[in-house]
Amino acid sequence: LQEPQLSIDPAMRGCSDTSLTTALPREKGVILILARNSDMKELMPTLVNFEQRFNRFFRYPYLLLNEEEFTEEFRSNIRDSLPANAAVQYDRVMPSEWNIPSHQNATHFRESFARQAKQGVQYAGLESYHNMCRFYSGTFARHRSLAPYDWYWRLEPGVTFYCDITYDPFRFMAIRRKVYGFVITIKESANTIPTLFRHVQNYRYAQHMTPSSLWPFVIEQGALTESYNRCHFWTNFEIGDLRFFRSVSYQNFFKALDDTGHFYTERWGDAPVRTLALALLAGREKVHYFEDFAYNHDFFTHCPRPKNLGCNCSCPPESSAHWDIDRNEQHSCVPQWRDVVKR
Ligand code: GDP
Ligand code: MN
């Protein structure tokens, strides 16, 4: 792949004239949305926003997945939220991909949900949430409908982008040989992952692995023994190279974690799993921080700083209820990220 304009600030590429960037070839990329029928109302404005800010320029196809059948009402509302020429595909997540694996002890798992919930572990009382985290941790990459694609961009109901994205991030990542892109990085709640890091360490030692140059990003600095600082890429936004996530090395890592049963007896999230996998298997140069994107999901917002990094931004004012995660040092892992990229 050749990129004639790498010297131009990538954030501004296409901002003044999208015909420069939209004329370039597309990657085999897809916009991936896992959703329930009940997510419809939250998903519709997200699609309108995503089209306005990005996809009207690039026309990447959408893939919507659900372990239940999408209703006619859902499909027709999605249709109405998108331009007529949008490519939209629906598919099921099969029970074998979604449910507690049949060789594992579902009764034992289910008994633990109430105990976890009582201990205040967020969402741990919901079997479906455990299923979702496990699916996005590994199974998703091998879904039949993702087979034609090299890249996915995960989109969740309810999210908002506040700047135009006028270059193709798939192409950007392909040219730079990235495997993963994020916009927000924060710390995971400790009570969801009591033994995750120990299992990752065990896997590393058993496989005689040397951790990658991203490893220091996840390690508590200045601690006496190696421990997880709980930094993770917030996976509700992510752009990933499916060839990496389908690879034997990623899938073996996922399988080793899955075999512990702790996607259920604890409430391991796909975000810390993803991040620890990258820290073992991919170097820091494989991960890209899309600092020029502006994004909100639930309580956290990222807006480009300095402001001229983004394109046509309309970020919420700094005094608004959406607080900017980069400025909240208790939660944000941007300092850790900056540390590791300048090493
Ligand atoms: P949070 O972001 O951690 O609060 O979790 P969400 O509730 O937003 O779930 C993450 C993603 O998985 C979103 O895209 C949801 O629409 C989707 N999701 C969560 N639970 C389910 C489920 O039981 N079934 C389906 N089909 N999608 C789900
Ligand atoms: Mn969400």
Side-chain angles (χ1 to χ4, degrees), residues 156 236 297-298:
E156 279 202 9
N236 48 76
H297 172 276
D298 290 350

Side-chain angles (χ1 to χ4, degrees), residues 28-30 61 63 89 145-151 242-243 246:
K28 290 181 191 163
V30 68
L63 172 62
Q89 190 193 340
S145 287
L146 284 172
Y149 298 109
D150 293 338
W151 300 95
L242 287 162
R243 293 158 295 190
R246 287 188 290 243

Side-chain angles (χ1 to χ4, degrees), residues 87-100:
V88 186
Q89 190 193 340
Y90 298 92
D91 201 0
R92 292 278 300 280
V93 176
M94 292 302 148
S96 62
E97 298 168 309
W98 185 258
N99 294 332
I100 296 170

Side-chain angles (χ1 to χ4, degrees), residues 288-334:
H288 182 69
Y289 175 21
F290 282 102
E291 203 175 342
D292 49 326
F293 291 9
Y295 176 81
N296 167 265
H297 172 276
D298 290 350
F299 307 112
F300 297 122
T301 302
H302 166 78
C303 283
R305 225 173 279 280
K307 289 198 164 97
N308 64 6
L309 206 54
C311 176
N312 301 329
C313 301
S314 57
C315 276
E318 274 157 48
S319 57
S320 91
H322 295 300
W323 92 74
D324 191 330
I325 183 59
D326 299 352
R327 295 228 166 154
N328 188 299
E329 299 207 347
Q330 276 199 324
H331 287 87
S332 175
C333 286
V334 167

Side-chain angles (χ1 to χ4, degrees), residues 34-36 39 66-67 98 123 128-129 132 156-157 297-298:
L34 176 74
R36 295 154 288 210
D39 291 316
N66 187 354
E67 84 285 5
W98 185 258
Y123 300 126
S128 61
Y129 198 87
M132 183 276 289
E156 279 202 9
H297 172 276
D298 290 350

Side-chain angles (χ1 to χ4, degrees), residues 277-289:
L278 287 162
L280 267 190
L281 305 171
R284 62 176 185 239
E285 74 288 350
K286 293 286 175 190
V287 178
H288 182 69
Y289 175 21

